[in-house]
């Protein structure tokens, strides 16, 4: 319920389909602002995440002799690579992504302004589907982030033997990620500094995943909806046509929309 209200508060009349997602893209720095300082700040933040992921692979090299640790750490490190590939791909190909978003917005608004009952039903269906997907995916990402960040604490709270082993030095301080740090990350205060850093980057990773994935899904869903709309317009191509010129005009419009969609 909270996410539905939050998503509704981020609706944008100028972007009736992508409104909430576009808001997140801007806040997360995927859509770079016009200000040079702000733009450099967002790029620096994204590349900071990239550097953090590199420290995970440095740690993998450090613990390479411990096969169990390598396997445990690798499953998170691989996911981290996926995360930074998504963020850097969006930043480096910013112009093309903006063109796609602008096309989707423009085409969606045109369809809404020229809809009839049949086409309105298609538009409502893909809009509601996108909102439900956004609500579910954002909830899933936040739940995943909380679970990942809370796993070491849960392990500490749930196991008395683990707490004893931690106190007597048999077990090392548990961390969210396995990453190299230029200080002692297993003893205070370095361990708590590491915890804060890990929570920060876990949050940034969750925002990146939520922003990129929902954007891609929205675009693909719209493409599917647009094809359904083109199909409906093909059915209506001869409806209430006054002359051949009007029919030809409709055919040209459908052809143009299809070509734009295929690009």
């Amino acid at each position: 319920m909270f996410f539905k209200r939050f998503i509704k508060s981020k609706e944008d009349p100028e972007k009736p389909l992508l409104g909430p997602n576009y808001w997140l893209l801007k806040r997360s720095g995927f859509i770079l602002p016009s200000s040079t300082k702000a733009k450099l700040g967002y790029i620096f933040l994204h590349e900071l995440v990239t550097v953090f992921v590199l420290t995970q692979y440095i740690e993998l090299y450090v613990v390479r002799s411990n096969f169990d640790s390598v396997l445990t750490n690798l499953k998170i490190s691989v996911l981290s690579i996926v995360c930074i590939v998504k963020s850097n791909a969006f930043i480096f190909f910013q112009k093309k992504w903006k063109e796609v978003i602008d096309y989707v917005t423009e085409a969606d608004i045109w369809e809404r302004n020229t809809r009839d009952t049949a086409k309105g039903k298609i538009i409502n269906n893909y809009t509601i589907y996108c909102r439900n997907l956004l609500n579910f995916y954002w909830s899933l990402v936040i739940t995943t982030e909380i679970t990942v960040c809370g796993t070491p604490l849960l392990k500490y709270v749930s196991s008395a033997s683990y707490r004893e082993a931690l106190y007597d030095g048999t077990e090392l301080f548990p961390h969210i990620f396995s990453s190299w740090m230029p200080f002692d990350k297993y003893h205070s205060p370095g361990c708590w500094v590491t915890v804060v850093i890990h929570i920060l980057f876990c949050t940034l990773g969750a925002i990146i995943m939520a922003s990129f994935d929902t954007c891609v899904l929205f675009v693909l869903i719209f493409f599917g909806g647009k094809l359904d709309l083109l199909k409906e317009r093909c059915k209506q191509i001869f409806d209430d046509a006054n002359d051949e010129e009007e029919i030809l005009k409709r055919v040209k419009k459908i052809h143009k929309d299809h070509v734009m969609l295929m690009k």
Side-chain angles (χ1 to χ4, degrees):
M1 186 64 69
F2 167 76
F3 284 106
K4 286 185 177 180
R5 291 199 302 268
F6 179 77
I7 290 170
K8 191 173 182 180
S9 70
K10 302 305 175 186
E11 295 286 359
D12 184 356
E14 295 182 0
K15 292 179 174 56
L17 179 64
L18 297 177
N21 187 255
Y22 191 79
W23 172 85
L24 184 60
L25 287 171
K26 289 183 69 176
R27 292 297 181 274
S28 59
F30 277 95
I31 302 295
L32 296 174
S34 56
S35 169
T36 303
K37 289 184 178 179
K39 185 183 296 184
L40 291 175
Y42 276 122
I43 292 174
F44 175 77
L45 188 63
H46 282 288
E47 297 315 310
L48 202 60
V49 176
T50 303
V51 171
F52 175 72
V53 172
L54 292 178
T55 66
Q56 291 180 287
Y57 283 88
I58 293 173
E59 181 71 7
L60 276 175
Y61 178 78
V62 171
V63 300
R64 65 189 183 280
S65 57
N66 188 332
F67 189 67
D68 290 336
S69 295
V70 169
L71 289 179
T72 302
N73 299 340
L74 193 60
K75 60 185 179 182
I76 297 179
S77 301
V78 170
L79 181 60
S80 299
I81 281 288
V82 174
C83 183
I84 64 170
V85 167
K86 289 179 178 181
S87 65
N88 284 292
F90 208 107
I91 296 297
F92 292 147
F93 299 102
Q94 179 91 173
K95 183 179 178 181
K96 291 186 179 296
W97 276 106
K98 281 186 175 181
E99 288 175 356
V100 172
I101 291 171
D102 290 343
Y103 162 72
V104 170
T105 300
E106 182 181 346
D108 178 59
I109 290 175
W110 187 87
E111 293 290 357
R112 291 174 190 273
N113 292 337
T114 59
R115 62 185 169 183
D116 54 23
T117 303
K119 287 182 281 190
K121 185 177 180 181
I122 295 172
I123 293 169
N124 288 335
N125 284 342
Y126 72 65
T127 302
I128 292 171
Y129 184 74
C130 283
R131 291 298 177 268
N132 290 337
L133 178 65
L134 190 64
N135 178 49
F136 171 77
Y137 197 81
W138 281 8
S139 302
L140 178 64
V141 168
I142 291 175
T143 303
T144 302
E145 181 201 356
I146 293 172
T147 303
V148 171
C149 291
T151 297
L153 178 61
L154 183 63
K155 184 179 180 181
Y156 175 83
V157 172
S158 62
S159 175
S161 59
Y162 179 77
R163 290 196 297 271
E164 291 178 6
L166 191 62
Y167 291 142
D168 63 26
T170 307
E171 289 283 353
L172 296 174
F173 188 92
H175 284 298
I176 300 168
F177 298 110
S178 176
S179 62
W180 175 82
M181 291 291 168
F183 49 79
D184 183 1
K185 64 179 181 179
Y186 294 113
H187 300 90
S188 185
C191 60
W192 300 113
V193 173
T194 304
V195 168
V196 172
I197 292 173
H198 284 183
I199 291 175
L200 173 63
F201 282 108
C202 186
T203 302
L204 289 173
I207 292 172
I208 288 171
M209 297 293 280
S211 303
F212 185 91
D213 290 353
T214 52
C215 178
V216 172
L217 288 171
F218 274 31
V219 170
L220 293 177
I221 290 168
F222 174 76
F223 285 172
K226 183 69 173 178
L227 288 173
D228 289 337
L229 290 166
L230 287 174
K231 181 180 178 181
E232 187 61 35
R233 281 159 58 192
C234 287
K235 291 179 182 178
Q236 301 174 1
I237 201 167
F238 296 107
D239 293 355
D240 302 322
N242 297 322
D243 50 36
E244 290 185 6
E245 185 177 348
E246 185 174 346
I247 294 173
L248 184 60
K249 184 178 179 181
R250 293 178 182 179
V251 172
K252 287 181 178 179
K253 175 60 179 172
I254 292 172
H255 177 262
K256 180 182 177 182
D257 286 354
H258 185 266
V259 170
M260 290 297 295
L261 190 61
M262 292 301 103
K263 284 184 177 181

